[in-house]
Amino acid sequence: MGFFDGLMGARLSDFDSGEAATGSIQLTRRHQTVSLTKQGAATGNLRVNLTWRMRTSDFDPVARGSLFRHPFRALKPQEVLGHGQSMVNVDLDLGCLYELTDGTKGVVQPLGNYLGDVNAPPYIKLSGDDRFGSASGETMYVNLDHRDAIKRLLVFVYIYDQTPAFDRTHAIVTLYPSNGPRIEIGLDERHPQARSCAVVMIENVKGELTVRREVKFVYGFQGELDRLYGWGLQWGRGYKTADR
């Protein structure tokens, strides 16, 4: 099976993220798993969203100097969206390793413009690539109406060709099921040199669709995540297109 086998030409479509979610489920080390099937959310489009933000006080010497004149600013560091010249240049990307029940394996990610398809295999669609940590972040859709074709999905986040700084990004991956509360996974562990993180595994086990927190940081890229989870794909250096 080739590296990108199973990725069909993407078709544009309107996405339905389901009912508005109330409250949230926090997946933590103590509470790692939730069943989409048991909460009646194993159908429709599962929306997976990555957002992150930076704090200027983490790396802006001007901001740090101003604390001597305004000491109470330290209690509430300024949050900013986007990047200025004084900020660490971090570009977080959302991706997904998939394995279908027919044995097809591959990846959906911004690198190589492999954005997937929500209406055909692999039933996963990445809507875009946010390079600046905007309020909307990056979003991926999984068509759970085809859940019987899905064996397992590993949602991951990586830093594209820039300074490792997971400990500064305050990244959160949020799953919005078609029914019930949203599911949040914070990437809040300190691994300052890590470049990739396996965030969550979605598995179809005997007809039950479960979401399990992973949050495993690695110092390499997708190939290292592949080896960690035994995906068995062949990896090479990838690049983003100029207009992304």
Side-chain angles (χ1 to χ4, degrees), residues 36-235:
L36 295 178
T37 300
K38 290 181 179 179
Q39 70 178 41
T43 59
N45 284 314
L46 172 67
R47 179 161 59 99
V48 183
N49 181 247
L50 164 68
T51 56
W52 73 94
R53 64 186 188 273
M54 308 290 284
R55 296 179 187 272
T56 55
S57 59
D58 285 342
F59 38 75
D60 189 345
V62 176
R64 289 189 178 189
S66 66
L67 294 179
F68 290 104
R69 289 176 293 174
H70 305 283
F72 290 105
R73 286 185 181 177
L75 302 177
K76 189 177 181 181
Q78 180 185 3
E79 294 180 2
V80 296
L81 299 176
H83 299 291
Q85 292 183 350
S86 64
M87 301 182 188
V88 173
N89 190 12
V90 178
D91 178 13
L92 294 188
D93 278 346
L94 180 67
C96 181
L97 284 166
Y98 64 83
E99 181 178 1
L100 305 183
T101 54
D102 66 0
T104 302
K105 298 179 181 180
V107 67
V108 172
Q109 62 180 16
L111 282 178
N113 205 32
Y114 292 98
L115 304 183
D117 193 326
V118 77
N119 296 312
Y123 307 111
I124 308 163
K125 172 71 175 179
L126 185 64
S127 66
D129 176 19
D130 171 24
R131 294 190 174 187
F132 301 104
S134 68
S136 59
E138 294 192 5
T139 300
M140 181 184 298
Y141 296 87
V142 181
N143 188 345
L144 297 184
D145 288 337
H146 294 273
R147 62 192 177 279
D148 290 341
I150 297 172
K151 182 177 180 180
R152 59 174 180 160
L153 309 174
L154 179 66
V155 177
F156 62 90
V157 175
Y158 62 97
I159 297 175
Y160 173 71
D161 202 28
Q162 301 291 350
T163 304
F166 266 114
D167 57 332
R168 297 183 182 180
T169 59
H170 308 280
I172 298 176
V173 172
T174 306
L175 281 61
Y176 296 88
S178 60
N179 183 57
R182 65 185 181 270
I183 302 166
E184 296 182 350
I185 306 98
L187 309 186
D188 50 5
E189 298 179 14
R190 292 189 62 83
H191 292 270
Q193 297 303 313
R195 289 190 174 273
S196 305
C197 180
V199 180
V200 65
M201 180 76 79
I202 302 170
E203 288 186 291
N204 190 344
V205 180
K206 297 181 180 180
E208 181 178 2
L209 209 61
T210 61
V211 175
R212 185 178 72 247
R213 177 188 184 271
E214 298 292 328
V215 189
K216 294 181 179 178
F217 290 88
V218 299
Y219 296 95
F221 292 97
Q222 294 91 321
E224 190 168 343
L225 292 174
D226 181 310
R227 290 189 292 273
L228 184 62
Y229 287 90
W231 233 267
L233 300 178
Q234 298 297 318
W235 296 89

